[in-house]
Amino acid sequence: MDVMPKWADVILIPVISIILAAILSALVILAIGENPWAALKLMVSGALGSTYGWGYTIYYATNFIFTGLAVAIAAQAKMFNIGGEGQALLGGLGVAIVCLYIPWPHWTVALIGAAAAAALFGAAWAAIPAFLQAKRGSHIVITTIMFNFIAAALLNFLLIGALKAPGMEPATSKFPEPAHLPSFQDMFNFGDTTFFRGAPANVTFFVALAACLFVWALVWRTRLGYEIRSFGESESAAKYAGISPTKIIMVTMLISGALAGMMAINNVQGEAERLVLNAAEGAGFIGIAVALMGRNHPFGVLLAALLFGFLYQGGAELALWTSIPRELIIVIQALVILFTGALDNMVRMPLERLFLAMRRA
C-alpha cells in the first residue's frame, strides 16, 4: 500500500517544492535590494500579460515538452537519458538537410518531412548509447552525456564547413519560403487585430501536444508500453515473462531520441528558419527537470514545460527591466530545478510521515 495518496505525489509535492523555491528566490532578491513582489509581478506581466509574452512562453514550453517527453519515456524503463541536448542538435541537422536540399511545395509537407528527419536523426544518435547499454553494459548516463559533446563538436564542424552559408556567421543559409512554418502571429491575424505580434511561437506547439497524446497512448494503452513499464519495474521479472531487455532498451531509447530530435522543428525550422550554433540552447537539460516535475507523465510534462516556459520568459523580462543581473535569474531558475528534482525527498519524506500518522490516527 502506498504511504501517500496518488494526488499528493502528483500535485502536492511539486506545489510545495515550487513554493519553497519561490520563498528562497524571494530571499535572494531581497538580499540584493530588490522588491520580490515587484519582481514577481513583472515576471507574470512579461510572460503572461500579453499575447507577445504568451508567444514566447509557449515557444520555450514547446521545446521543453519534446525534451521532457524524451526523458519521461526513457524513465518508464528506468533509463536516464540525459542526451536530449545532443539528440536535439542532431535533429536540427536533419531538419536543415531536408529543408535546404528538398524543394518542398508547401509548409504542411515540409513540416512532415522535417519532423520525420528530426526524429530519424535524433533516434539514430540515441541508438548508439542504447546499443552500448544493451550489448556491452555501458551505462546510459555516461554514454548519452558524452554524445552531447560529440554532437556539439560535429555541428560546429559542419557549420564552419560543408553547411556554412556565405559570410562570417557559422550558420546555414535561410530555408526556402515554402519550408517556413506559420507563426502564431500568422495564424491569429484577424484583419486589424493581430495577436502574438513578434513572438516566435508557431504551429509546432500543436505537434508537441500531439506528441503528449502519443506518449500517453503508447505507454498506457499498448502492449509495448506495458512491456516498457514492466521492464522498468523489474528487469528480472520482465525477462522471466519473455520480454527481451535488448528490445526494450533499443526501442525505448529510439523513441526517446526521436522525441528529443523533434524539438528542432520548433527552434530550427519554426523560429530561426536556419541551423545555427548551439541551436538547442540547453533545452535538453531542462527537459530532465520538466520530466521530474511532471512525474514522467505526459500531462505533467506539459504543465511543467509551461512553468519553465514562464520562468524563461519572465526571467528575460526581469533582466531587461530591472537591475537584477542575468546570472541571478539563472540562479532562480536553478532553485526551481533543485527543489523539484534533486531535493524531492526533502518534501516527500515529511509528507509521507504526516500521511502515515494520519492513517494510524
Side-chain angles (χ1 to χ4, degrees):
M1 180 184 295
D2 293 332
V3 176
M4 286 193 303
K6 189 69 175 176
W7 67 267
D9 182 41
V10 173
I11 299 173
L12 191 58
I13 291 178
V15 167
I16 293 175
S17 297
I18 292 171
I19 291 172
L20 290 174
I23 292 170
L24 194 53
S25 300
L27 294 175
V28 171
I29 293 171
L30 268 176
I32 63 169
E34 292 285 343
N35 186 337
W37 181 246
L40 176 61
K41 288 198 294 184
L42 182 58
M43 287 184 71
V44 172
S45 64
L48 308 176
S50 65
T51 57
Y52 172 82
W54 267 107
Y56 270 93
T57 299
I58 290 172
Y59 167 74
Y60 292 128
T62 303
N63 290 338
F64 303 150
I65 289 171
F66 282 116
T67 56
L69 289 174
V71 175
I73 194 165
Q76 296 295 335
K78 292 298 184 288
M79 289 188 292
F80 196 18
N81 176 20
I82 57 175
E85 187 82 0
Q87 292 147 22
L89 289 174
L90 264 291
L93 177 60
V95 168
I97 289 172
V98 299
C99 287
L100 286 171
Y101 299 111
I102 298 178
W104 300 103
H106 193 262
W107 71 263
T108 52
V109 188
L111 174 60
I112 296 170
L120 180 63
F121 274 64
W125 202 246
I128 305 172
F131 179 82
L132 291 173
Q133 161 122 353
K135 292 297 186 181
R136 308 298 298 173
S138 303
H139 202 287
I140 203 77
V141 170
I142 304 300
T143 51
T144 51
I145 199 167
M146 289 171 64
F147 268 63
N148 287 335
F149 294 101
I150 298 172
L154 175 61
L155 222 62
N156 290 355
F157 171 75
L158 292 173
L159 288 177
I160 61 172
L163 294 178
K164 184 178 181 296
M168 296 294 293
E169 188 177 5
T172 66
S173 302
K174 275 276 186 179
F175 300 155
E177 189 68 31
H180 294 181
L181 299 182
S183 66
F184 274 21
Q185 178 178 333
D186 301 324
M187 298 166 64
F188 298 98
N189 187 348
F190 305 103
D192 294 334
T193 305
T194 301
F195 297 103
F196 302 100
R197 190 185 299 274
N202 59 78
V203 70
T204 309
F205 177 65
F206 302 109
V207 180
L209 295 181
C212 290
L213 288 174
F214 165 76
V215 172
W216 173 80
L218 173 69
V219 174
W220 282 279
R221 290 295 183 272
T222 67
R223 177 176 176 175
L224 175 61
Y226 176 77
E227 291 178 345
I228 290 171
R229 288 183 288 124
S230 299
F231 178 82
E233 290 298 325
S234 173
E235 181 178 347
S236 57
K239 288 173 67 176
Y240 185 77
I243 298 171
S244 167
T246 300
K247 170 193 166 185
I248 296 302
I249 292 170
M250 289 299 300
V251 170
T252 305
M253 283 300 295
L254 286 173
I255 297 170
S256 178
L259 287 165
M262 286 180 68
M263 186 199 93
I265 60 177
N266 183 50
N267 64 326
V268 175
Q269 185 184 14
E271 192 265 333
E273 296 171 348
R274 60 178 181 160
L275 181 61
V276 299
L277 282 178
N278 192 31
E281 297 178 327
F285 296 112
I286 297 297
I288 299 170
V290 168
L292 287 171
M293 176 174 272
R295 296 296 185 265
N296 298 318
H297 191 284
F299 182 66
V301 166
L302 172 60
L303 295 180
L306 288 170
L307 171 65
F308 277 92
F310 161 79
L311 288 174
Y312 259 60
Q313 175 57 15
E317 292 292 320
L318 281 182
L320 183 62
W321 299 110
T322 70
S323 60
I324 299 176
R326 179 65 186 169
E327 292 76 14
L328 192 60
I329 293 164
I330 296 173
V331 168
I332 293 171
Q333 294 167 349
L335 286 172
V336 176
I337 297 173
L338 182 68
F339 276 92
T340 57
L343 298 182
D344 181 80
N345 280 337
M346 188 180 76
V347 178
R348 180 183 300 276
M349 293 174 68
L351 281 178
E352 286 180 347
R353 287 195 291 269
L354 175 63
F355 277 102
L356 188 61
M358 290 169 61
R359 184 177 295 170
R360 287 171 175 170

